[in-house]
Amino acid sequence: MSTWLYNLTAITLIGIGATAVTDLWSVVRSRFGIALPDYGLIGRWVAHMRNGIFFHDSIASAPFVRGEAYIGWTTQYLVGIAFAALLIGICGSAWLQQPRLIPAVIVGIATVAAPFLVMQPAMGLGIAACHASHPVRARIQSILTHTIFGLGLYWSGWLFQTFYFK
């Protein structure tokens, strides 16, 4: 397998794995009364972009889009793959042969900038969810989730390295 194809395969599987870890984290949180994320709202936001609408006062009040849940879930996993590519872009492909925890967690935490500075403001929640009903809680949940994503990057990288080379 060429290096390019190997790296693409690794990035894709690691991104999917790390995103799945965050989904499992969401299920665990829901056992403690924290609502599951509504990826349909992300799908609605993304779907409205094709009409040139990038910002909403409230994404929940924006018109429903057919297939928005599918679009949202797909977006969630594609973003996870992009963030895995970011990790490999920063650390180099050597990380794939020997995954390290600290860089993965740092990248995971750093990716919280995307919802804080792009998604939440565009969906009507303001920068770092300052307009949410409980902004501090929303920020803490975002940071925890992206930390878990970083752990997921590491675990997925470790699994890929362990089982791909055997």
Side-chain angles (χ1 to χ4, degrees):
M1 177 183 291
S2 72
T3 302
W4 179 86
L5 185 57
Y6 169 82
N7 287 347
L8 180 63
T9 302
I11 288 166
T12 301
L13 292 175
I14 291 167
I16 289 170
T19 305
V21 167
T22 63
D23 289 338
L24 289 173
W25 166 251
S26 294
V27 171
V28 169
R29 290 181 337 164
S30 73
R31 306 280 185 202
F32 297 98
I34 299 169
L36 289 167
D38 184 352
Y39 294 125
L41 294 177
I42 294 172
R44 184 178 301 174
W45 174 54
V46 169
H48 280 283
M49 290 179 188
R50 70 177 172 217
N51 299 322
I53 303 169
F54 297 91
F55 296 94
H56 301 266
D57 291 331
S58 168
I59 194 64
S61 299
F64 173 82
V65 175
R66 195 168 138 222
E68 64 185 31
Y70 173 78
I71 295 166
W73 278 95
T74 301
T75 300
Q76 173 77 353
Y77 276 81
L78 290 174
V79 168
I81 293 166
F83 287 161
L86 177 66
L87 172 64
I88 304 311
I90 291 169
C91 295
S93 59
W95 189 90
L96 297 171
Q97 278 75 47
Q98 187 173 6
R100 294 183 330 271
L101 176 64
I102 299 302
V105 171
I106 289 171
V107 167
I109 293 170
T111 62
V112 82
F116 278 3
L117 301 175
V118 178
M119 187 182 76
Q120 291 169 353
M123 294 174 76
L125 291 172
I127 293 175
C130 67
H131 300 306
S133 56
H134 301 284
V136 173
R137 235 184 279 167
R139 291 174 192 138
I140 290 169
Q141 288 304 319
S142 290
I143 293 167
L144 282 173
T145 298
H146 283 258
T147 302
I148 296 295
F149 178 77
L151 291 171
L153 286 170
Y154 172 72
W155 292 327
S156 298
W158 181 84
L159 285 170
F160 181 82
Q161 185 274 331
T162 299
F163 294 105
Y164 189 81
F165 289 109
K166 300 285 177 190

